[in-house]
Amino acid sequence: MNMNSVKFWILFGVIGTLVFSSCDDDGFDFNIAECKPEEFLDNWSMEVIQPNIASNFLPQLNNADFTTTSVGYAVGELGTLIRISGDGAVWEVQLTGQETDALTVQALLSVDFFAEDQGFAGGSDILPQFSEERDSGAVFLSTVDAGMTWERRYVDEVRRFMDLEFYNPLLGLALVLPESAGSNSDYSIARTEDGGETWAIEDLPEEFGFPRFQRASNRIFIPMNRRFRFSDDRGETWTERTTPVNSIEVFYFATPEVGFVVGETTAFRTTDGGQNWEEMPLPVEGGGGIMHFVDENQGFFLRSVISQEPETGINYLSGVQTLETQDGGATWTVVAEESGCLVNGEVTFPSSVIGYVVNPNAIYRFVKQ
């Protein structure tokens, strides 16, 4: 992945009770026709791109990584790996568990390309009883030819590879659910120096719900519930710091020192790597969202708007409120109170001015004007 890129999952504080599917018979879920990109952000354009493959073929996508501003990879359920090119318009299925000679049927949860032709993907050994791969350990895949062919191995001590971050063909980090985990949110850090043949696993101090790395320049972060860890030496050593919120809903660092955390009701900014925090005047009640900065001053925040279906009482994501800042988050301007765009999925910015959100229904492509 590009050194200046950012890859993270949109964090929703009430994810367990939300409905994210496209429009269904009840009529209260998202309808892509209601999304008006031209009303989304003042200084950004947003294009909604539908996959050019059959929708009934595409399983849920879990992770994505773009190696350039126009080429990326997405992984999902049932051993699915897709190469995305043409600025998001062209989808090529490279792996699928639906084939009789499938490389794997494990759900692929993570993908990372440290170069345009070299990358890794990791899966989950949580499988049905009849599966031949059950109890084999989490699958770990590698490619040196841009996904044309993949090498497969299984890692006994890992149940799930939740996220990957590789620096070269040998040295990489992973957030994993180890075989020894006491619960499904008891994640650990894993480090390899031999391309994934062996892993050194270290427990994390608390359980948390959104196991994704984030990078700002050479610093890599692990956000947890209230705390976070960071490393400046590719995971050899880690520093741990605490945030002012009880539960992190959104975690974003624009640089190694300038960062933001959004909690259930408050938002804070740091300019010294999280040693000190100041509260920001940012409306946050209702859910998580996406934050992205072009530089230390210009940024946007897409706040999830949560609505409730009156007949069933089910919470669902009805759109996003969009806000922009020109002064590093000191003040924020509301651009749209509630856009109909359901921007949820895997977020990746291969450059500071071009980014993607990938979900099973569409791709959202952001371009700074």
Side-chain angles (χ1 to χ4, degrees):
M1 187 167 60
N2 185 295
M3 292 295 289
N4 295 319
S5 65
V6 177
K7 178 183 64 176
F8 57 102
W9 185 258
I10 302 174
L11 308 186
F12 296 109
V14 287
I15 194 168
T17 57
L18 292 180
V19 175
F20 289 146
S21 61
S22 54
C23 189
D24 67 10
D25 293 339
D26 295 328
F28 60 83
D29 290 338
F30 170 70
N31 184 343
I32 200 167
E34 297 175 1
C35 180
K36 297 179 175 59
E38 67 277 6
E39 301 174 4
F40 202 65
L41 289 165
D42 284 340
N43 300 313
W44 290 76
S45 66
M46 189 187 79
E47 182 182 5
V48 183
I49 304 168
Q50 308 251 211
N52 64 326
I53 57 178
S55 60
N56 60 358
F57 171 84
L58 185 62
Q60 174 181 313
L61 298 179
N62 297 317
N63 194 222
D65 188 28
F66 274 71
T67 59
T68 71
T69 56
S70 64
V71 177
Y73 297 82
V75 294
E77 300 298 305
L78 200 62
T80 299
L81 191 144
I82 294 170
R83 185 178 188 269
I84 302 169
S85 60
D87 294 334
V90 180
W91 293 48
E92 174 192 354
V93 179
Q94 291 189 330
L95 295 176
T96 171
Q98 299 183 40
E99 296 178 350
T100 55
D101 58 346
L103 188 65
T104 182
V105 296
Q106 288 194 17
L108 296 179
L109 305 178
S110 52
V111 61
D112 183 70
F113 274 70
F114 62 90
E116 290 188 33
D117 58 349
Q118 299 180 68
F120 300 88
S124 167
D125 73 347
I126 311 301
L127 289 163
Q129 186 68 40
F130 60 83
S131 173
E132 294 181 359
E133 291 183 279
R134 185 178 173 86
D135 301 324
S136 61
V139 71
F140 183 75
L141 307 176
S142 59
T143 182
V144 295
D145 55 12
M148 297 297 293
T149 60
W150 291 85
E151 179 183 335
R152 179 188 66 189
R153 66 174 66 97
Y154 297 98
V155 183
D156 292 339
E157 63 268 34
V158 173
R159 294 164 59 189
R160 297 174 183 169
F161 281 100
M162 301 303 299
D163 202 12
L164 297 169
E165 189 73 33
F166 270 76
Y167 298 92
N168 56 50
L170 298 177
L171 178 59
L173 302 174
L175 282 173
V176 301
L177 186 70
E179 182 61 38
S180 59
S183 74
N184 286 337
S185 55
D186 188 8
Y187 301 110
S188 297
I189 307 170
R191 191 172 189 267
T192 182
E193 297 181 354
D194 54 16
E197 291 283 351
T198 60
W199 296 87
I201 298 177
E202 175 190 350
D203 289 340
L204 288 166
E206 64 186 18
E207 296 186 356
F208 55 102
F210 302 98
R212 292 293 191 219
F213 292 118
Q214 191 198 120
R215 278 178 68 182
S217 188
N218 292 325
R219 180 169 291 184
I220 189 166
F221 297 87
I222 303 173
M224 291 174 276
N225 280 338
R226 185 172 183 178
R227 294 177 279 188
F228 69 94
R229 284 189 173 189
F230 68 84
S231 174
D232 293 321
D233 54 13
R234 301 183 174 190
E236 286 192 30
T237 60
W238 295 87
T239 299
E240 186 173 298
R241 290 192 176 145
T242 301
T243 72
V245 301
N246 291 324
S247 178
I248 295 174
E249 306 292 333
V250 176
F251 179 94
Y252 178 79
F253 269 74
T255 74
E257 299 298 324
V258 178
F260 306 83
V261 291
V262 178
E264 294 179 352
T265 58
T266 51
F268 295 84
R269 177 178 184 262
T270 180
T271 58
D272 56 12
Q275 296 183 73
N276 298 283
W277 297 87
E278 58 179 350
E279 188 169 353
M280 287 192 305
L282 185 65
V284 298
E285 202 169 324
I290 305 171
M291 189 174 288
H292 176 70
F293 275 71
V294 177
D295 51 38
E296 292 188 23
N297 294 313
Q298 301 178 74
F300 65 74
F301 180 55
L302 312 182
R303 185 186 72 85
S304 309
V305 177
I306 310 303
S307 300
Q308 189 174 82
E309 207 284 319
E311 294 184 4
T312 64
I314 296 176
N315 292 332
Y316 68 100
L317 179 60
S318 57
V320 292
Q321 182 186 52
T322 62
L323 305 97
E324 289 183 326
T325 181
Q326 300 294 326
D327 56 13
T331 59
W332 293 83
T333 301
V334 176
V335 180
E337 286 291 348
E338 184 175 349
S339 166
C341 301
L342 180 68
V343 187
N344 73 296
E346 185 68 23
V347 183
T348 175
F349 275 82
S351 78
S352 64
V353 296
I354 296 178
Y356 297 85
V357 178
V358 179
N359 69 30
N361 301 312
I363 288 183
Y364 301 86
R365 184 173 187 264
F366 298 86
V367 179
K368 181 75 166 65
Q369 299 300 295

